[in-house]
Amino acid sequence: MDMSQLRRTLFLVLAVITIGIAPAMASNHLKGDSKTDKKAAPKTGPDAPPSVTTTAPVKVEITTFTQLHDGDTVNFTATVVNTGSATVARVPWAIRDVKGNQNLAEGTQENLRPGGTFDMTARWTKVKVTKTESFFFEAYVDPTGKVLKNTALIEKQIKKATVVIMYVAPFNPAKPGF
């Protein structure tokens, strides 16, 4: 059997498994075992209540992390979206000042539905510098990594931003020049 035939056979086997067995397993799972499970099958359709989960398949991502400078204040906003298929009961979040080793803001968003979004925000006051310096900030969903079993790529769970503060030497009229 050459490589091309092997690929076709493997593809066919996977297709049969996916098409034949997965729906049957899902159907049995939804019906329950009538001998041991006395609960009614879950309601489905547009009127069904949302499923709430804190385990897989959770897929919560940060789509944007922006900064807006207003004088000596920097306002950070990170938009979070549930790209998974179930409502997530709790989404902890934080925006962190890496250099200062502290959270600027943190919180928990409750009951984030599939496709639902929320913004996390924080403010930071610029510091006086004696040389040009860079300051680093990170926005996280599930900062401890212990609440969600998030299946989103790690780069979508953490976003980074840098603020550069330029040092401008005071003008000294006794030493004109560039």
Side-chain angles (χ1 to χ4, degrees), residues 65-69 71-76 97 99 104 124-127 129 132-138 160-166:
F65 186 35
T66 59
Q67 53 184 288
L68 177 64
H69 297 257
D72 286 340
T73 302
V74 180
N75 296 303
F76 294 99
D97 172 358
K99 198 170 190 174
L104 298 176
W124 179 70
T125 303
K126 296 177 186 176
V127 296
V129 294
T132 299
E133 288 191 57
S134 296
F135 296 85
F136 306 100
F137 302 89
E138 295 175 334
K160 300 179 181 203
T162 303
V163 174
V164 177
I165 300 178
M166 302 294 290

Side-chain angles (χ1 to χ4, degrees), residues 26-42:
S27 174
N28 287 341
H29 175 71
L30 289 175
K31 290 178 188 171
D33 181 356
S34 60
K35 295 176 188 169
T36 60
D37 186 5
K38 301 297 181 194
K39 296 179 202 171

Side-chain angles (χ1 to χ4, degrees), residues 21-96:
I21 294 175
M25 289 176 59
S27 174
N28 287 341
H29 175 71
L30 289 175
K31 290 178 188 171
D33 181 356
S34 60
K35 295 176 188 169
T36 60
D37 186 5
K38 301 297 181 194
K39 296 179 202 171
K43 186 176 179 182
T44 59
D47 297 330
S51 60
V52 177
T53 182
T54 56
T55 59
V58 172
K59 192 171 182 186
V60 179
E61 303 176 357
I62 300 172
T63 56
T64 61
F65 186 35
T66 59
Q67 53 184 288
L68 177 64
H69 297 257
D70 183 17
D72 286 340
T73 302
V74 180
N75 296 303
F76 294 99
T77 302
T79 300
V80 179
V81 64
N82 178 356
T83 58
S85 59
T87 296
V88 181
R90 293 179 55 236
V91 180
W93 60 269
I95 297 179
R96 184 161 186 76

